[in-house]
Structure formats: structure tokens, C-alpha cells
Amino acid sequence: MNSQVEKQMQIAPIPGAGVDGSQEARPGVPMEKETPEPAGNAHWLTPQRMPDPGWIQKRAGLEELTPVFGTTVPPRGLSGLMRRAAYRIPEHFTSHWLVLLAADRVDVLEDRLKTILPFVVPLAAAGVYFGVRAQRRTWWRALLA
Amino acid sequence: MLALTYRGPNRIRVEKKPAPKLEHPNDVILRVTRTAICGSDLHLLHGLIPDTRVGCVFGHEFAGVVEEVGPGVVSLTKGDRVVVPFNISCGTCFFCQRGLTGNCENTNPSANVASGVYGYSHTTGGYDGGQAEYVRVPFADVGPMKIPDDMTDEQVLFLSDILPTGYQAAEMGEIKPGETVVVFGCGPVGLFAQRSAWLMGAGRVIAVDPVAYRLDFARAYNNVETVGFEDATGGDVVSLLMKMTDGRGADVCIDAVGCEAEGSVAQSFLGVKAKLMAGSATAINWSIAACRKAGNVVLIGVYGPPFNAVDIGSAMNKGLTLRMNQANCKRYMPKLLDHIREGRIDAEGIITHRVPLEHAADAYELFEKKKDNCIKCVLVPPMAA
């Protein structure tokens, strides 16, 4: 240990300073374990597969779905179509990501529309109905005059 | 159940959602007792991560109690308290067997960039996250770690992400005793990277951040030297760091900021506001510039695809070693649990706010806008007790 480190240890900036100074003390060294072994309590050689619900999108080039995947928020509407198109483009093409980002924005618009449509449609229908009725009255008056 | 759901950029809402179900024999359903907001959740919130769908649940840092157990699970039973790493890993693929559980190839069908991650868009597999009352945990025999009876959930909560992430950052820097380490960012990951640098025998640790209260916290928590943007003439932090390191640069620079770094108007406009690239690369470029020739630069801050304006030419010409990865949490959990036990890392000491899950949107605002000297927000679901 050089003098600079000795000085550092004397100052002890935090409890245990230098305790992981050797490479052997560091759990991620070497980065790739030299003797591969299962992680945790994995008790399978190949994981069992989840059933495919039929709508999970996988990247281009992946022959089949991974054994496990998330099942939240299936693709829907126009944004869903855009996502399907994006996943047909390999991810090393920028267009894959740009289409996905565009689909994200469309998804938000669709969600907003879905939120306001229950209010907007009846209001618009009422507006059209009363507008036409008022217009008819005007026509009748014009005909009778 | 209650869950925090994404409604679009800068819009989130706590609402009722159907509770998750077992979908694979090695799944468990966890009742969440503590969950935290991570800086990388803000990248999702700001719409910077592709394929973030309206209605998905955020949250990749959580601990809880096992409620339901799949028929193939052998190491957990109902009632066990566990902390769950953010990586979803099968345990037996090429990468898991080599300790790289963050690179598992069996849990993310959407992209070849990382393993599955809880609550982090469909780009990382489309899993719901833990900012909810319940969460589905796949490969329960691989990821979750039982919480020792004498420890609280909050003492070990950060083994799920930010503590292993900070530690791995320092480790990837290959710090040798006595070396000078610069850590960009005094958020939770930056704080743990600074602390880990001391544990690995750094001779000098310098922390950089634009926010004064975070620099104060770093000084008090980690006993580091600090550099604020205001300390540097004209905001030129790199020149100040070069001056502090005898004009040579630091041995190791760690970017613990990620894609929303401040400090460059052009980067912030192009990457964060206009979204013409995957966020601002300011912290990467400053790390490259402030590192000595043949030094090590570590990226542990999160960046989304597809590209950033990175000064790769300088990195090449300086002979730098660039290292980066998502944290392989599983590999670090036992070691870091030991550090917590021995008092070398006071992980829960960074919690500044505890907020009921029902008010999660307010907590996001607090964390995002750095109000009330917020360092780390923990959400407490109503069923936590």
C-alpha cells in the first residue's frame, strides 16, 4: 500500500474505507464468471415456456418468444398497428425506435380521445340536432312567408 | 388493486387495476410493502424510453411479502419477506450462468438490449412494475432475496437497484488504491457510487452536481469533495476538474446521471426537449473530457436507444476504457447486505421522504423538481402493514 493510501486510511473518510481494495473482494470481478454456474436457486436447464397469448411482439430475428415475458398492455388501435410495423424492423435500424416513439405519442392521443369521446360525442350530436332544428324552423318560416 | 399508471409524458395517475396472476410455474405474487421512485423512472415519465405504453405500471425497486406461490417454486413460501432485483433473470442462460443476470436472454422478447425489467416499458419486456399493491415476480427462485428477520424492508430496499448499481459502477472503474475518482451526479446512484469508491480504496472522491442541497448531502453522507456548476467559471466544470487534478484528469470518471443531464444547452435541447436523440449526453462527454489519458470511464446512468451525440473521438484518442452495463444486482446482493450489516453503508440513510402510494403522483413531482431537499422517495402501499 503506498503512502497516499495509508494517509487516506488514517483519515478514514467513511467506515470501512479500503475494505474492498483488492480485486478478490469485489463480487463482479471478473465481469464474466470463469466457471459458469446457475444463478440463485434455478433448478432447470431450460426454463419452461409461458403460453403465448398471440399478441406479444418480439424483435425481428428472434425465432420464438422468450420463455417468460410481460403481459401488460396489449397493443391496440393505430398505435398498436404502428408498434407491429416497428417490431418488423430490426432494432439496429433507427427507424425501429423512431416508429416506436411515434406510436407512443399516438397512444397518448388515442387515450385522450377515448377519455373525452363519451363527453364530446353526445355534445356534438346535440349541437348538430339543435342546429338542424333551428335551421328547419328558419326554412319553414321562409317557405310560409 | 391500487397502482401508479402512466398516462403520457408528464402524466401519471394512481388508479385501480386488476391484481396480477400467476402466469408461469416459477412466478410468485408479491404484496408490495415498500417501493421507491428511481431517477430512471423520470426518463419514462418524460417519454424518453421507446414503447412506454399508456396504462403500464412503473416501479423496479421494491420489497414485499410473498402472497401466492407458483407450483414450480422451491425456495419461497407464502409469507416470506423478500427484496427483488430489478433484472428479471432465468438463472441458466449463457449470460446468467456467467453472472450477467442483467443481460439475461430469456426474459425480454422485445429488444436485445437488456434483460426483462419490472415497470420499464415494453422495450424491457413489457412487465408491470412494483409501484402498486401487488406485483408478479417471474423466476422467483432466481431473483428475490429473503430479508433477514433482524432487518427492516427499508434497510435492504435499495439492494433492488441503486446500491448494486452504484457499487458496480465503482467496480467497473477498476479503482486502484489511492486513485482519484470523479462521480457525476449526487442522486441516489451517485451517492452509492461515491461510497463504493471509498470502500474500494480511492484516495480522492470528487462529486459533481448542479444542485446545492445534493452537494451538501454528498459531503455529509460520503465525506467527498464537491463541485457545483456555480463553482466553475462560466459553468466550465471540466476545466475546474482538470485544475483540481493537476491538469491531468481523474483516474476514473463515473457518469451516474444518465440521459437528462444538465450543463449543455445544445444537448438538453436536442436530446431532452426536441427528443431528436436519446437524451442529453452531457455527463458522458464531461466524463470523457475530465478523465486522464488511459483512464476508465464508466456509464451507469440510463440511456435509451437509439443514439446520442457522444465525443467518441476524444475517448479513442485518449485511450480511455469505457465500461457500462445494467447492474447485475443478484451478484452483489450478499456482499452489499454484509456492508449494510457492518455499518459501512447506511442505505436507508438516503431516504428523505416516505409517501403513501395513493399520493405517488405528488411524490414524483417532489422528486422530479427536487423540492423539499428530496434525495429519495419511498412509497408505502396501503396494504404494507
Side-chain angles (χ1 to χ4, degrees):
Chain A
M1 194 177 280
N2 63 34
S3 59
Q4 195 181 1
V5 180
E6 279 173 17
K7 190 178 163 196
Q8 174 60 46
M9 295 306 118
Q10 285 161 11
I11 298 167
I14 61 160
V19 71
D20 291 344
S22 73
Q23 298 289 311
E24 292 75 32
R26 302 177 187 178
V29 177
M31 184 175 168
E32 290 192 23
K33 283 185 182 173
E34 285 161 356
T35 313
E37 58 182 351
N41 294 312
H43 48 88
W44 48 82
L45 290 175
T46 307
Q48 192 173 329
R49 292 190 165 274
M50 273 172 67
D52 180 357
W55 52 261
I56 301 289
Q57 287 152 332
K58 61 180 175 62
R59 63 180 183 268
L62 187 68
E63 287 184 5
E64 54 182 342
L65 284 176
T66 51
V68 163
F69 44 82
T71 53
T72 189
V73 194
R76 66 230 152 161
L78 177 61
S79 61
L81 291 174
M82 293 171 73
R83 293 189 207 284
R84 279 182 218 286
Y87 278 100
R88 282 198 283 270
I89 306 169
E91 63 194 297
H92 55 273
F93 288 103
T94 304
S95 50
H96 167 79
W97 301 108
L98 294 180
V99 175
L100 280 179
L101 282 168
D104 289 349
R105 305 298 170 256
V106 171
D107 189 15
V108 174
L109 285 174
E110 287 175 317
D111 183 62
R112 300 274 199 287
L113 275 176
K114 211 164 66 180
T115 309
I116 62 170
L117 276 182
F119 305 100
V120 169
V121 169
L123 278 174
V128 170
Y129 173 75
F130 288 113
V132 169
R133 206 170 75 164
Q135 197 65 44
R136 273 186 188 161
R137 275 189 198 147
T138 315
W139 292 337
W140 278 113
R141 276 185 201 138
L143 280 173
L144 293 171
Chain B
M1 67 165 185
L2 279 183
L4 178 109
T5 62
Y6 174 73
R7 310 310 311 177
N10 301 308
R11 289 167 76 111
I12 43 178
R13 183 163 79 201
V14 177
E15 61 185 358
K16 291 269 186 191
K17 267 196 91 160
K21 294 176 186 155
L22 298 173
E23 298 185 49
H24 182 275
N26 210 246
D27 284 357
V28 299
I29 302 297
L30 204 69
R31 174 167 57 81
V32 179
T33 53
R34 290 290 185 278
T35 176
I37 303 172
C38 182
S40 49
D41 288 330
L42 298 180
H43 309 328
L44 285 173
L45 177 69
H46 297 154
L48 287 164
I49 307 296
D51 210 352
T52 304
R53 300 184 188 174
V54 172
C56 65
V57 179
F58 287 178
H60 55 271
E61 298 176 5
F62 54 89
V65 178
V66 175
E67 280 288 311
E68 272 186 81
V69 184
V73 177
V74 298
S75 48
L76 295 178
T77 53
K78 187 176 175 183
D80 283 343
R81 292 164 59 231
V82 293
V83 57
V84 182
F86 74 92
N87 332 101
I88 303 172
S89 319
C90 75
T92 55
C93 71
F94 177 92
F95 297 104
C96 286
Q97 293 229 25
R98 285 160 177 77
L100 304 174
T101 50
N103 303 109
C104 175
E105 60 190 359
N106 275 334
T107 54
N108 181 7
S110 315
N112 194 24
V113 294
S115 68
V117 176
Y118 297 97
Y120 212 76
S121 84
H122 279 66
T123 293
T124 60
Y127 297 88
D128 266 336
Q131 289 169 8
E133 288 183 285
Y134 297 93
V135 62
R136 170 191 164 219
V137 175
F139 290 124
D141 281 323
V142 179
M145 186 184 80
K146 285 186 191 174
I147 300 173
D149 289 340
D150 61 333
M151 299 185 89
T152 66
D153 294 3
E154 287 186 3
Q155 278 178 299
V156 298
L157 174 61
F158 301 137
L159 292 175
S160 58
D161 176 1
I162 53 174
L163 181 48
T165 298
Y167 188 92
Q168 184 179 303
E171 194 188 71
M172 287 194 295
E174 295 174 18
I175 297 166
K176 295 174 193 69
E179 285 193 333
T180 296
V181 179
V182 170
V183 179
F184 290 92
C186 290
V189 170
L191 290 170
F192 286 138
Q194 294 156 24
R195 200 157 187 96
S196 303
W198 283 135
L199 291 174
M200 290 175 200
R204 195 174 175 196
V205 181
I206 303 170
V208 180
D209 200 284
V211 183
Y213 81 81
R214 293 201 161 194
L215 293 169
D216 294 341
F217 193 95
R219 270 194 303 274
Y221 185 76
N222 282 331
N223 213 358
V224 290
E225 295 170 62
T226 55
V227 169
F229 288 11
E230 289 174 3
D231 299 326
T233 311
D236 184 1
V237 169
V238 172
S239 291
L240 177 57
L241 289 168
M242 292 301 281
K243 200 171 167 186
M244 290 169 74
T245 51
D246 301 327
R248 185 177 294 137
D251 300 295
V252 177
C253 284
I254 297 173
D255 164 10
V257 182
C259 64
E260 294 188 73
E262 296 174 30
S264 161
V265 174
Q267 288 271 356
S268 294
F269 175 75
L270 292 171
V272 181
K273 299 286 180 206
K275 296 183 173 52
L276 294 176
M277 54 184 188
S280 153
T282 304
I284 306 177
N285 287 340
W286 286 7
S287 295
I288 290 169
C291 193
R292 72 164 166 83
K293 289 168 192 160
N296 293 335
V297 167
V298 177
L299 313 184
I300 202 77
V302 171
Y303 294 87
F307 50 76
N308 286 91
V310 174
D311 184 8
I312 202 72
S314 294
M316 183 269 161
N317 285 299
K318 289 175 82 171
L320 301 180
T321 299
L322 302 184
R323 291 196 63 186
M324 60 205 90
N325 201 357
Q326 294 280 1
N328 303 302
C329 294
K330 185 70 186 169
R331 200 163 172 184
Y332 296 94
M333 290 167 103
K335 172 87 180 182
L336 295 173
L337 180 70
D338 189 45
H339 280 331
I340 293 170
R341 245 186 214 297
E342 297 299 323
R344 296 178 199 122
I345 299 175
D346 171 20
E348 65 178 333
I350 68 163
I351 300 174
T352 51
H353 295 79
R354 292 170 182 80
V355 179
L357 177 65
E358 301 91 306
H359 302 299
D362 298 333
Y364 264 85
E365 191 187 352
L366 192 80
F367 185 57
E368 179 195 7
K369 297 190 174 153
K370 299 181 175 65
K371 292 179 177 175
D372 196 26
N373 291 355
C374 181
I375 299 288
K376 189 70 175 175
C377 255
V378 169
L379 303 174
V380 185
M383 304 274 286

